[in-house]
Amino acid sequence: MTLDPRWHVVEEKFDPKKMGHYESVFTLGNGYLGTRGVFEELYRERTPGTFVAGLFDQAHPNEVTELPNLPDWVEVSILLNGEELDLTQGQVLQYRRVLDLKGGVLTREVVWESPQGRRTALRFRRFVSLANVHLVGISIAVTPENYDGPIEFRSALNGQVTNSGTQHFTSIEHSTYAHRGIYLLQETVQSKQQVVVAANHVVHGVLLDESFKNAHRRIVYNAVLSGKRGQTVGIDKFTTIYTSRDQDLPRAVNLLHHALAASSRQTQQGFDQHLEVHQQVWEQRWQWADIEIVSDDHFDQLVVRFAVFHLIQMTPWNDPRVSVAAKGLSGEGYKGHVFWDTEIFILPFFLYSFPQVAKNLLTYRYLTLPGAITNAAQNGYSGAMFAWESADTGEETTPEVGGIDPVTRKPIPILCGKQEHHISVDIPYAIWNYYQVTGDRDFLLKEGAEILLLTARFWASRVSYNPDRDWYEIKEVIGPDEYKEGIDNNYYTNALVQWHLKKTAELVKLLKESPAGQCVLLKLGVTEGELQDWQVIAAKIRLPREGELLHQFEGFMELQEIDVLKYRDVPGLLQKAYGWEEINRSQVLKQADVVMLLYLLGDEFTLAEKRVNWDFYEPKTMHDSSLSAAIHSIVANDIDLAEEAYAYFQKAARIDLTNSMGNTHAGLHAASLGGCWQAVVHGFGGVRVKSGELSVTPKLPKAWHSLRFKLAFQGKRLQVSIRRDGYEVTTVD
Ligand code: BGC
């Protein structure tokens, strides 16, 4: 295989210490399901993970709902003349694992010498089909180099896996089917969803023996092939996954029969045929999504494609009941929950590449409105209050406690579910953005309008009036910077609420002009008095500032100052030096907060304001959240800090590939991947939409010769080509 540094992510060396990191990086997915890039053979460090989008379960009332970890379908132990393949033993003579971003294939090529001196070449290929989302496949080819002897494959479906100890499934049945098939039928404990994982096999070579083994929640197909020096034998494992939640199931179907029949059909085609159709779909996706960067160093090109690749893999393609988890489908981190990460960080990529998918993501919020209405009511508010962490129903699912505070040695309470309310303005912001970019008035005036109106109603009940100062306040919140809890008048939140209430007035004008719009107003019982109140609140909302300097919140300036720069490059160092309480009382930010606002409402701030606030807040920011760096890159570009813009882009782009935050093993940082795309297109590409008009003001980094990408904009497809000496925007078919 010839390597292309612009398309191939390569692991050059087998290193068990980095296993978790690469498992996340090499995740394969198709939006319906995702599987971590675990090895086929077993290692102590191996953390298998297969997740189906939207299939939530709350195993115990004391635990929050999460995406259950499905049976491990990847496992295949290999015995080479009786010696088990184990790269921690013997000698690894050659090793290379390659993720081909262009075609969505994970390949591993190894030459291994066993402790007894048997040398074997092995090649593993894996795909998670984009053409048939229920199908995943592995092909293993084994060539004994200096011996003859039996080659044995023990291919398992292992339902003993848990979510860090939580078992989400009741086992219903495990057995065999067809000629070489094994399956597990399970049901989630609380949500009562059935899941079938069925693996069928095709063997290549002279079969000496085959058998099955059945154990507790685990079933194995064994094939023993005759191995001859220099001759390749192998096995293909096609796994089929169906759940009773699937929207593409025929009515009243028997899930197990359906899955097994599909599996048997699929096995009639070869691995290469399946791979080919899968790769054709990738080709179509890349046609619209690719970003081409010409520079002396190929790394920037690779990381941007890596980001786009994973964004495509982690996002449901046509299921509006489901959104994107903070870790995509690549790990247990954040339990598969959906945050503002989707609307503010991930959505823009889809908006400009695959608008239909963006619409689905927003429809997910529409479908979870009943949950948001419940959240508001439970907290004594009106309208709809979106969950900080959302799952299938839209009700709040944020856990109550997190990690241990190194200073107090007690678990840190997580208050985000109770206080991080800005999500209820981030979603309206994204809806307006969607409307601006797509021109989809239908969506705005129906689903979009309901969301905007119900959240406006929420905010009107959330603010409090201060008669002494004649202003409206929003007290006890957490802004984007999660190092500050229970704060009043977070500038980010208040400014966006003001923006939201003003936009709602524009929306209401549009609604009144159409019968469908009038129906929405009627349905929600929106009154003239209410509309007036919203505008009064917008006009009088408290926005704490001193000249050009925006106060992150009331009282921020009085907090103690600490030397943030001393701590910021080593994850966890700040937390060791200062306890959680002290961090809360200091001028130290976890992530972009005011700077985030300078980006989202860029047109509302002057260049001077942007500069003043950058100078003040940037040195106080730890970037302890992966959401921070990409936004800093964009804002740095806006204020002509070219070097900082590029440095922050590089920081963002490396988070998962180099594991710079040290936690990629728990899953990819989906928002950061979306942020990277924005740093390129909105930052260096300078693409913005102002009052429904597209503008392009490119600022190429010094290191790049050219940048080219496509955009979907108001029903048209455009190509933006930027060179050092100019740029052009052309229409494409
Ligand atoms: C960040 C949030 C983010 C969440 C999920 C947290 O660490 O502070 O802004 O939404 O991670 O990615």
Side-chain angles (χ1 to χ4, degrees), residues 352-589:
Y352 286 97
S353 313
F354 306 102
Q356 180 58 41
V357 178
K359 181 175 176 175
N360 289 342
L361 293 175
L362 295 173
T363 305
Y364 161 79
R365 294 298 188 177
Y366 177 72
L367 296 175
T368 53
L369 261 179
I373 292 170
T374 305
N375 293 336
Q378 279 175 352
N379 287 279
Y381 303 121
S382 313
M385 171 181 156
F386 282 102
W388 175 245
E389 295 189 24
S390 182
D392 45 358
T393 65
E395 285 176 42
E396 188 58 67
T397 57
T398 306
E400 304 258 315
V401 287
I404 297 285
D405 181 340
V407 173
T408 64
R409 302 180 177 197
K410 294 277 179 282
I412 303 174
I414 302 179
L415 300 180
C416 304
K418 299 192 174 71
Q419 298 184 354
E420 201 155 352
H421 293 168
H422 65 82
I423 177 88
S424 291
V425 72
D426 302 325
I427 293 168
Y429 177 90
I431 289 170
W432 200 261
N433 198 14
Y434 169 80
Y435 168 59
Q436 295 285 298
V437 176
T438 61
D440 183 351
R441 218 174 227 252
D442 263 12
F443 182 82
L444 178 74
L445 297 187
K446 289 187 198 132
E447 294 88 345
E450 287 197 32
I451 294 179
L452 259 83
L453 293 166
L454 286 169
T455 43
R457 185 173 277 167
F458 159 71
W459 286 114
S461 70
R462 179 65 181 79
V463 299
S464 48
Y465 180 63
N466 180 336
D468 297 337
R469 312 302 301 263
D470 188 26
W471 63 40
Y472 286 89
E473 305 187 303
I474 304 180
K475 293 188 154 185
E476 263 210 283
V477 295
I478 296 176
D481 165 22
E482 293 185 346
Y483 283 172
K484 298 289 161 293
E485 293 172 337
I487 55 165
D488 297 343
N489 294 322
N490 168 238
Y491 203 105
Y492 172 95
T493 307
N494 290 20
L496 275 171
V497 169
Q498 180 183 57
W499 173 92
H500 173 193
L501 295 176
K502 286 186 185 164
K503 281 292 168 223
T504 309
E506 274 182 51
L507 168 75
V508 169
K509 262 195 210 141
L510 295 176
L511 288 171
K512 285 182 175 167
E513 284 165 12
S514 83
Q518 288 162 13
C519 283
V520 172
L521 290 169
L522 212 63
K523 175 177 167 190
L524 302 184
V526 179
T527 64
E528 283 305 317
E530 203 173 16
L531 293 175
Q532 277 163 19
D533 287 349
W534 295 351
Q535 293 325 303
V536 174
I537 296 168
K540 292 191 175 180
I541 198 154
R542 168 77 173 133
L543 293 168
R545 62 189 292 165
E546 233 176 303
E548 282 161 343
L549 183 63
L550 314 182
H551 290 195
Q552 188 179 314
F553 55 87
E554 212 94 64
F556 182 87
M557 299 301 158
E558 284 83 64
L559 300 180
Q560 69 166 334
E561 288 186 48
I562 56 180
D563 182 3
V564 171
L565 300 184
K566 202 165 116 192
Y567 300 100
R568 96 166 159 193
D569 290 328
V570 186
L573 200 62
L574 174 84
Q575 287 75 359
K576 276 195 191 127
Y578 296 90
W580 181 243
E581 283 298 318
E582 218 170 345
I583 290 177
N584 244 291
R585 291 193 304 266
S586 308
Q587 287 191 8
V588 50
L589 282 69

Side-chain angles (χ1 to χ4, degrees), residues 224-284:
V224 185
L225 302 181
S226 160
K228 294 262 176 296
R229 179 190 305 243
Q231 286 177 20
T232 303
V233 296
I235 192 167
D236 298 334
K237 180 177 189 179
F238 295 106
T239 304
T240 300
I241 298 178
Y242 277 90
T243 83
S244 47
R245 251 193 117 252
D246 298 345
Q247 55 173 8
D248 55 354
L249 288 176
R251 277 227 192 143
V253 72
N254 177 310
L255 189 72
L256 181 62
H257 292 173
H258 184 75
L260 298 187
S263 165
S264 300
R265 265 197 319 277
Q266 282 149 9
T267 320
Q268 285 161 16
Q269 282 176 33
F271 188 88
D272 289 335
Q273 277 168 295
H274 282 300
L275 202 58
E276 203 181 311
V277 283
H278 160 69
Q279 293 186 314
Q280 278 164 6
V281 182
W282 266 115
E283 204 180 313
Q284 291 160 15

Side-chain angles (χ1 to χ4, degrees), residues 326 334 339-341 388 420 480 482 590-591 625 627:
Y334 286 128
F339 295 68
W340 69 317
D341 304 32
W388 175 245
E420 201 155 352
E482 293 185 346
K590 179 179 181 186
Q591 64 203 95
S625 155
L627 279 61

Side-chain angles (χ1 to χ4, degrees), residues 580-729:
W580 181 243
E581 283 298 318
E582 218 170 345
I583 290 177
N584 244 291
R585 291 193 304 266
S586 308
Q587 287 191 8
V588 50
L589 282 69
K590 179 179 181 186
Q591 64 203 95
D593 193 305
V594 167
V595 169
M596 187 81 219
L597 184 70
L598 299 180
Y599 169 47
L600 294 186
L601 295 187
D603 290 345
E604 304 202 351
F605 299 100
T606 63
L607 192 59
E609 282 173 328
K610 288 182 187 171
R611 289 203 171 126
V612 165
N613 286 284
W614 169 280
D615 289 346
F616 184 78
Y617 288 106
E618 189 273 344
K620 299 186 188 311
T621 308
M622 287 291 293
H623 309 297
D624 278 350
S625 155
S626 68
L627 279 61
S628 199
I631 302 304
H632 276 79
S633 169
I634 301 173
V635 175
N637 253 323
D638 285 350
I639 56 176
D640 296 319
L641 295 177
E643 274 176 27
E644 284 85 343
Y646 187 57
Y648 271 117
F649 159 74
Q650 291 204 312
K651 184 177 169 75
R654 278 163 173 71
I655 288 175
D656 284 323
L657 269 182
T658 68
N659 195 19
S660 62
M661 299 189 75
N663 59 4
T664 294
H665 59 272
L668 298 167
H669 297 81
S672 170
L673 298 170
C676 267
W677 181 91
Q678 295 189 56
V680 174
V681 172
H682 295 323
F684 303 123
V687 170
R688 301 290 164 93
V689 177
K690 291 178 188 158
S691 319
E693 299 281 316
L694 189 75
S695 75
V696 181
T697 323
K699 291 180 183 170
L700 272 197
K702 259 199 211 135
W704 296 2
H705 305 302
S706 66
L707 167 66
R708 189 161 64 176
F709 50 84
K710 295 201 178 85
L711 294 177
F713 184 72
Q714 298 186 353
K716 289 193 278 296
R717 291 279 181 175
L718 307 171
Q719 178 163 279
V720 182
S721 308
I722 304 167
R723 300 169 313 274
R724 296 228 64 87
D725 58 352
Y727 74 95
E728 62 201 23
V729 181

Side-chain angles (χ1 to χ4, degrees), residues 321-333:
R321 300 169 307 164
V322 178
S323 184
V324 191
K327 302 285 180 196
L329 298 166
S330 67
E332 283 178 28

